[in-house]
Amino acid sequence: MFCFLGCSPLFSGKINSNTKKVDIISINRNPGIYFANIDPEKHKNLFMCGEKKSDLEKQNVATIMEDNEDREKMFDTILQELSAIQQNAPRRVAILGTRHFSFLHQQIVELLTYANVLVGNHVFTSGGAGTGTNAAVIRGALRAERPDLLTVVLPQSLKKQPPDVRDLLEKVENVIEMRENDDLPLDVASRLCNSDILSRCEHLISFAFHDSVVVLEAVREAKALNKLVTLLYLD
């Protein structure tokens, strides 16, 4: 069993040993939310359920207090996405998003990616900042220990990536470099890269702010291609 943590679990579930799918058991909309890192060695066990807030904070677990309405929307979207992971697997899923966001949101992305890979979905993403969506996707997929189910398409050569992301990409088996874009501005190269990723997937999960121009363009392109799209706004 696993939990997305809270004073009591935010989400709880288990990995079905027969189907290898994620069974969502419950959701708790407590305004104080606490997330812990998933350990792939223990993904069939309970993760820190019933821990006290003070104990979680000592273990450097992120906390957040959300506006009630925004929190409800986020909970509902995340729960829908987690539930959908059980259906129609395996499938090809692209997860893309903003280059910079909070530690808590990084944890959400890692957990969603981990669950996708765990049930056999092939995940596609790109490069970017070490604190961004795509790096969190890579970390989450690597924790599931299925390197064959992660493909990273870079907008330019590997050498163009930030040092911390290059270190992370050393652990990835399937890295596609678009070296032909090295002389292009990054935003142009990123648009071409996103189009390439969308051509490889059936479902796009995107994390964006309302002014994330390139990310939102990818969302519109995915919809025009009749892809399944899940968009989560961070502001």
Side-chain angles (χ1 to χ4, degrees), residues 203-229:
H203 180 191
L204 171 64
I205 303 173
S206 186
F207 294 81
F209 295 101
H210 282 82
D211 60 355
S212 301
V213 177
V214 175
V215 177
L216 295 178
E217 284 183 4
V219 169
R220 288 192 291 270
E221 182 179 349
K223 290 180 178 178
L225 294 170
N226 294 318
K227 309 285 186 180
L228 178 63
V229 176

Side-chain angles (χ1 to χ4, degrees), residues 98-159:
T98 179
R99 293 168 57 86
H100 301 285
F101 62 171
S102 71
F103 176 75
L104 173 63
H105 289 122
Q106 292 176 48
Q107 295 298 295
I108 292 172
V109 172
E110 288 187 34
L111 290 164
L112 283 173
T113 306
Y114 176 85
N116 268 284
V117 174
L118 204 64
V119 300
N121 289 337
H122 193 128
V123 172
F124 296 83
T125 193
S126 188
T131 57
T133 303
N134 302 341
V137 171
I138 296 170
R139 290 191 295 269
L142 291 175
R143 287 180 178 178
E145 298 183 338
R146 286 292 307 274
D148 56 309
L149 293 181
L150 171 65
T151 297
V152 179
V153 183
L154 301 177
Q156 297 170 318
S157 298
L158 179 60
K159 65 182 180 182

Side-chain angles (χ1 to χ4, degrees), residues 3 13 20 32 34 36 54 73-75 83 92 98 105 138 153 165-166 173 185 221 223 235:
C3 289
K20 304 301 182 184
Y34 313 97
S54 57
K73 290 179 180 178
M74 176 172 284
F75 284 173
S83 298
R92 300 183 301 280
T98 179
H105 289 122
I138 296 170
V153 183
V165 176
R166 289 202 301 269
E173 289 186 2
E221 182 179 349
K223 290 180 178 178
D235 58 358

Side-chain angles (χ1 to χ4, degrees), residues 12-28:
S12 64
K14 64 180 179 180
I15 308 300
N16 189 305
S17 60
N18 295 320
T19 64
K20 304 301 182 184
K21 294 184 178 181
V22 180
D23 294 335
I24 304 300
I25 296 174
S26 65
I27 178 173
N28 172 45

Side-chain angles (χ1 to χ4, degrees), residues 10-11 27 29 33 35 64 66-81 102 104-105 108 207 232-235:
L10 172 61
F11 300 113
I27 178 173
R29 290 177 168 82
I33 309 166
F35 280 82
I64 188 171
E66 295 277 4
D67 173 78
N68 284 341
E69 183 177 354
D70 291 341
R71 186 179 67 250
E72 289 291 325
K73 290 179 180 178
M74 176 172 284
F75 284 173
D76 289 343
T77 304
I78 293 172
L79 183 59
Q80 289 170 14
E81 189 57 43
S102 71
L104 173 63
H105 289 122
I108 292 172
F207 294 81
L232 292 97
Y233 280 110
L234 304 174
D235 58 358

